[in-house]
Amino acid sequence: MNAVTAVEGVSLELDDIQSGALHERPSPYVGTYLLLRIDDRASGRELVRRLHRVVDSGRPSSDPARDAWITVAFTYGGLEALGVPQDSLDSFAPEFREGMAARAAQLGDVGESSPELWEKPFGTGEAHVAIAALSPDAARLETVLERARGAREELGGVEVVWRQDCYQLPTGRTSFGFKDGIGQPSVEGSGRPPTNPGEPPLKAGEILLGYPDETGELPPMPTPEILGRNGTYVVFRKLHTKVAAYRQYLRAKAAGREDEALLGAKMVGRWQSGAPLALAPEHDDPELGAEPRRNNDFRYGDDPRGFKCPAGAHARRANPRDSLDRDGSVDVRLHRMIRRGTSYGPMLPDGMLDDDGADRGIVFVFAGAHIGRQFEFVKTQWLNDGIFIGAPPEKDPLVGPNDGTGRFTIPERPIRRRLADVPPFVVTRGGEYCFAPGLRAMRWLSELGS
Ligand code: HEM
């Protein structure tokens, strides 16, 4: 029997949960993502048996060496390759079974972002196992990668088909210049207090399978129970950011440098420092941005018309907080997610407006129990469409599938401001829907019979 931890009245089987689901990303960080293809079933199971030994559980540790960890997840094709029985495969969420490429039209992955143009092996059915290694420094990353390499040693029939290194940029921010990863929900039983005192911890079942969620029900869980329990769905997307185009656009639309920073903040909902517009509507407040106890402590209820933070700003769309309370038809808590994104590629030097041709962006990582009502809902309804209370019929100005014809409205007195012809700033290079099983489930997968 695994140890059970009771925190805040909820018992999470932390010994069985992969640590990546509940651990915050270190800062600074370095990391590596790998995709593997399983050509031989027996080798695939042996790989899982060995990986099971190198994956850490979510139990908090005082050992700094464990600040570096590996997360292992499988695509639908991966579970098939391992020989998971069909009735069990059929019990997974429909979006996961279809795979991300098949959902491209709904997700807005069209034009430059369409799956035909994705990096291989995304969307080809050849990505079976996803491994993420994250660490505060290169030395510890190398140690955990060495363990992952060991799991593959002398194992024919398992190929590494993709690799992406990532690291925190020297500025501590992402390629557009903004601090990221601030707005996160806390999870009941994880022992991590909320950073937004106005948002009580989410029921564990919103993130982990096998526990009641916000509806009071157990989320649909893959069968058999040993496979589903303590697992979580993971959405993994490589998103290229067109930083030069973004800077050129702001330069063209702004009245001057200060206005550029303001327009950028209005598009995101936070200043580059991380300070939220809701608390610092006029000017950046770097001290506030750097202060984790204050930089997420806000709501939008006193700003229904978006004079401080536009309803169409990225962060307000992605988490409208109390904005929709008066409407009553949407429960924001059913559309929350854990984000574990990282940056890849070099920084575009400060002040440079020309594209240097380098590939840079974000590896967006979502963890949650409901791909459909969490990731897909937010992406399609709130970021791509914005058909909800208060936001004009526009797309997310920063990450939406814009095509150069749309606009972004900034409420202002006496007259609103409109930015026209918003181009696309983010291009999907590929992605996969994955399932990160609990540790017992990994053992079960490795011991599957013929
Ligand atoms: C390249 C693409 C993206 C970039 C550059 C980006 C950037 C940002 C930034 C700068 C913030 C504000 C800082 C923070 O609270 O962490 C943020 C917040 C957030 N983003 Fe994104 N984002 C991207 C894609 C996405 C996607 C695809 C989703 C979901 C489908 C998403 C969901 C969120 C959520 C939930 C928040 C937190 C909002 C809050 O709690 O206030 N983002 N993002």
Side-chain angles (χ1 to χ4, degrees):
M1 180 67 193
N2 278 311
V4 168
T5 301
V7 192
E8 302 144 17
V10 178
S11 299
L12 288 187
E13 292 173 334
L14 289 174
D15 283 351
D16 193 44
I17 298 166
Q18 289 199 52
S19 61
L22 296 174
H23 273 196
E24 272 158 46
R25 186 185 68 190
S27 178
Y29 63 84
V30 283
T32 296
Y33 301 94
L34 300 169
L35 289 175
L36 286 76
R37 189 186 64 224
I38 299 170
D39 296 323
D40 175 78
R41 185 161 287 173
S43 301
R45 291 175 183 168
E46 175 60 16
L47 173 79
V48 179
R49 193 182 68 79
R50 295 182 191 176
L51 284 174
H52 171 259
R53 292 200 301 245
V54 304
V55 167
D56 275 333
S57 74
R59 177 166 294 285
S61 162
S62 52
D63 174 5
R66 289 189 50 176
D67 285 343
W69 66 87
I70 283 184
T71 308
V72 176
F74 302 88
T75 61
Y76 180 81
L79 297 179
E80 261 183 334
L82 289 170
V84 172
Q86 193 60 46
D87 58 339
S88 173
L89 289 171
D90 293 343
S91 65
F92 279 83
E95 301 85 5
F96 170 75
R97 296 200 313 260
E98 272 189 60
M100 190 185 289
R103 315 282 299 165
Q106 291 97 316
L107 293 174
D109 285 335
V110 294
E112 266 189 291
S113 291
S114 56
E116 304 87 76
L117 302 176
W118 285 2
E119 275 177 27
K120 302 289 173 259
F122 288 117
T124 62
E126 290 196 18
H128 292 158
V129 186
I131 299 179
L134 224 67
S135 158
D137 55 52
R140 274 180 277 184
L141 178 67
E142 193 41 41
T143 311
V144 283
L145 278 177
E146 194 49 46
R147 283 192 238 146
R149 265 183 229 118
R152 244 199 83 229
E153 216 157 67
E154 290 172 22
L155 210 56
V158 176
E159 295 297 326
V160 176
V161 285
W162 185 82
R163 174 182 177 144
Q164 179 69 61
D165 294 323
C166 62
Y167 59 94
Q168 183 163 306
L169 298 174
T171 51
R173 301 180 183 176
T174 52
S175 53
F176 287 129
F178 289 84
K179 187 167 166 169
D180 193 8
I182 308 170
Q184 301 271 27
S186 71
V187 180
E188 260 190 23
S190 70
R192 313 240 161 194
T195 53
N196 174 5
E199 181 180 33
L202 286 182
K203 295 280 178 244
E206 288 298 314
I207 305 300
L208 295 160
L209 298 176
Y211 302 88
D213 65 17
E214 287 288 325
T215 67
E217 306 283 325
L218 284 174
M221 192 166 74
T223 55
E225 193 189 339
I226 191 167
L227 176 59
R229 193 169 175 76
N230 292 320
T232 185
Y233 288 105
V234 171
V235 172
F236 170 66
R237 278 162 82 75
K238 179 173 175 183
L239 301 173
H240 168 70
T241 51
K242 296 183 167 191
V243 179
Y246 166 80
R247 289 184 187 168
Q248 286 165 20
Y249 183 77
L250 289 185
R251 182 66 50 92
K253 300 294 175 193
R257 292 302 169 83
E258 266 188 39
D259 197 36
E260 262 179 52
L262 178 69
L263 294 186
K266 293 283 186 185
M267 285 161 90
V268 168
R270 290 183 183 266
W271 297 89
Q272 290 198 349
S273 69
L277 284 177
L279 300 178
E282 308 284 342
H283 302 284
D284 193 1
D285 180 348
E287 268 180 37
L288 169 63
E291 179 48 69
R293 270 180 313 220
R294 291 195 295 138
N295 67 12
N296 202 33
D297 182 2
F298 66 92
R299 297 177 177 221
Y300 297 115
D302 64 336
D303 183 29
R305 300 190 51 201
F307 289 116
K308 290 197 272 181
C309 177
H314 171 65
R316 186 162 175 171
R317 285 170 175 271
N319 177 15
R321 302 183 184 222
D322 56 337
S323 303
L324 310 182
D325 283 1
R326 280 184 308 174
D327 175 34
S329 65
V330 181
D331 183 350
V332 171
R333 292 174 67 78
L334 299 183
H335 308 293
R336 301 290 287 122
M337 64 185 77
I338 300 245
R339 290 173 301 138
R340 293 276 180 258
T342 52
S343 288
Y344 74 89
M347 244 171 69
L348 186 66
D350 235 6
M352 190 157 153
L353 290 182
D354 293 325
D355 189 14
D356 60 357
D359 190 14
R360 58 174 61 83
I362 280 177
V363 176
F364 172 89
V365 178
F366 151 103
H370 303 270
I371 293 185
R373 77 156 153 83
Q374 293 170 329
F375 170 71
E376 286 203 351
F377 180 92
V378 171
K379 176 75 176 113
T380 60
Q381 310 290 303
W382 288 353
L383 303 189
N384 293 2
D385 284 348
I387 306 172
F388 65 97
I389 294 290
E394 298 170 355
K395 299 178 169 67
D396 186 303
L398 187 71
V399 314
N402 290 296
D403 60 5
T405 62
R407 61 189 188 199
F408 173 55
T409 304
I410 303 172
E412 256 178 36
R413 290 191 188 93
I415 212 157
R416 68 180 163 234
R417 203 165 162 188
R418 278 202 165 133
L419 306 188
D421 309 326
V422 184
F425 297 124
V426 173
V427 179
T428 309
R429 292 270 200 244
E432 296 288 346
Y433 285 163
C434 302
F435 175 68
L439 271 68
R440 270 176 295 175
M442 282 184 74
R443 202 159 51 227
W444 182 86
L445 285 167
S446 73
E447 289 169 356
L448 278 167
S450 55

